[in-house]
Structure formats: C-alpha cells, structure tokens
Amino acid sequence: MSRQAHPEGRLPPGQRLQRGWPVTHYGPVPRFRPERWDFRVFGATVHGARPVWNHDEFSALPYTTVVADFHCVTKFSMTGMEWGGVSAATVAELAPPAADVTHVMVWAEYGFSSNLRIEEFLDDLTIFATHQGGQPLTAEHGFPVRLVVPRLYAWKGPKWVRGIEYMTADRRGFWEERGYHNLADPWHEQRYSFQESPGDGPEL
C-alpha cells in the first residue's frame, strides 16, 4: 500500500530546494546489533500492555510506502521522497494507546527523544521508515528505523528509533528542551521556542 502527499509545488516559508540528502544529526552513529535490538511500546497503553518486537518481528510487520516532502529546520527541503516501512498507525493498531492519550514521545538511541501530538503520530503520512527510495536506510540516515513525520520539521522524526511512549500530557523532547519550537509546523515556520504562543507547549 502506498500513500502520497501533494505539496502543490510549494515550499514552506524560508526553505530552499535541496539536491542530494545531507547527513545531519547530533552525536555519534550507533552500532546496530540485531541480537540486542528491539522496539518497545510503553506508557499509557490499553490495559497496561508493553509490547516488544525484536528486529525480525518488527521487519515482518505490514510494509507500506509514503511519498512526501522532507523539511529540515536548517532550511533545506527535499520533494517527493519515497519512504518504506511500518506506518505509525499500524503500530498504534497493534499496540493501542489508552483513550486519554494526547501525546507520544518517540525514543531513540542514546536517550534521544521527540514529542508529537497523538493526531500527528497517527497521521496517514507518519511512518517508521526502514527504506528510502526503495533501498534500506544507511546507518548515517537512521538504519534500522527512523521516524518520518512529513507534515512537521524533520527533527520531529528521530533516527535510530527504539520505541514510543504514550502520554496523557505533553512533555518536551530533546530539541524542544534546547530551544526548538514544541509544535514544529514548517508552514507556520515554527522553528524556535521563543516563537511559541501560550498553549503551544509545556513551560521551559
């Protein structure tokens, strides 16, 4: 199954079209150890369940593709990128959140985190990507799994994801605690926390 966004040929304000995919991340590239890797769902799950998939099990989940644009807060955009992997909605179907969940914290290697509103997590374009352009991700671009949230700036989709936490209240992630906007909508150029309006996020 494939889903596609339609950007109508426009870029968000302040963005420039990028040819080629730059490598941008904070800290070292983690070493992938398949025998130790797992993907965990915890927090406010239905009935308190805490599902865990090892790498083989996660790789066997339903595969889908998404074609969408990619907007980095450093002001480059790439159009029509094809991502393959497991949709966030599929993960939520297999490991449902409790009825009062409002946000999701996405956890990655080295304790890196990023927060999303539940509706953004469940958006039909949000995907735990294992492939880009039909090829497995490289280690530098997030192999074995990175989250892609095309409707938001790319920092909301961490590389090297290891699990998600369902939350009943918002909590800032790694970059959101360090001065990035809590909501990260590129079409409203929500780059930095000083741009936030009341109600956009928890107090810093």
Side-chain angles (χ1 to χ4, degrees), residues 133-195:
Q135 299 297 318
L137 293 171
T138 63
E140 291 78 11
H141 281 304
F143 180 84
V145 178
R146 71 177 293 162
L147 185 67
V148 178
V149 189
R151 299 195 197 280
L152 303 181
Y153 282 123
W155 90 75
K156 285 290 188 178
K159 301 177 182 180
W160 311 301
V161 173
R162 295 296 302 273
I164 60 170
E165 176 189 0
Y166 291 134
M167 305 189 298
T168 57
D170 197 8
R171 193 168 78 242
R172 291 178 184 265
F174 180 90
W175 286 117
E176 293 79 14
E177 289 181 332
R178 290 162 174 80
Y180 278 24
H181 200 290
N182 195 55
L183 300 183
D185 184 340
W187 295 98
H188 290 93
E189 212 164 356
Q190 293 173 334
R191 300 178 188 273
Y192 306 113
S193 58
F194 69 80
Q195 300 171 304

Side-chain angles (χ1 to χ4, degrees), residues 8 17-18 21 31 34 36 41 44 53 68 70 77 91 95 100 103 148 152-153 158 167 169 179 184 198:
E8 300 178 354
L17 191 62
Q18 172 74 32
W21 190 12
R31 180 182 174 187
R36 299 184 184 179
V41 181
W53 292 283
F70 182 87
S77 289
V91 171
D100 56 347
H103 292 79
V148 178
L152 303 181
Y153 282 123
M167 305 189 298

Side-chain angles (χ1 to χ4, degrees), residues 8-188:
E8 300 178 354
R10 297 182 298 123
L11 293 181
Q15 297 295 108
R16 58 176 172 77
L17 191 62
Q18 172 74 32
R19 303 296 183 187
W21 190 12
V23 173
T24 56
H25 58 259
Y26 177 83
V29 176
R31 180 182 174 187
F32 174 57
R33 296 177 173 87
E35 72 282 1
R36 299 184 184 179
W37 190 93
D38 57 25
F39 184 103
R40 298 175 177 268
V41 181
F42 58 101
T45 60
V46 168
H47 308 309
R50 296 170 67 94
V52 179
W53 292 283
N54 63 30
H55 186 250
D56 287 343
E57 291 166 339
F58 190 87
S59 299
L61 295 180
Y63 185 92
T64 190
T65 59
V66 165
V67 178
D69 295 348
F70 182 87
H71 306 299
C72 183
V73 72
T74 60
K75 300 191 176 183
F76 77 81
S77 289
M78 301 178 68
T79 58
M81 297 188 76
E82 180 188 297
W83 305 98
V86 181
S87 73
T90 294
V91 171
E93 288 170 7
L94 296 171
D100 56 347
V101 166
T102 59
H103 292 79
V104 174
M105 188 71 78
V106 183
W107 290 97
E109 298 283 2
Y110 304 130
F112 187 87
S113 60
S114 185
N115 59 320
L116 298 168
R117 291 177 288 192
I118 187 67
E119 59 267 26
E120 295 161 344
F121 180 75
L122 297 176
D123 186 271
D124 61 358
L125 294 178
T126 302
I127 186 171
F128 289 100
T130 58
H131 291 67
Q132 196 282 311
Q135 299 297 318
L137 293 171
T138 63
E140 291 78 11
H141 281 304
F143 180 84
V145 178
R146 71 177 293 162
L147 185 67
V148 178
V149 189
R151 299 195 197 280
L152 303 181
Y153 282 123
W155 90 75
K156 285 290 188 178
K159 301 177 182 180
W160 311 301
V161 173
R162 295 296 302 273
I164 60 170
E165 176 189 0
Y166 291 134
M167 305 189 298
T168 57
D170 197 8
R171 193 168 78 242
R172 291 178 184 265
F174 180 90
W175 286 117
E176 293 79 14
E177 289 181 332
R178 290 162 174 80
Y180 278 24
H181 200 290
N182 195 55
L183 300 183
D185 184 340
W187 295 98
H188 290 93

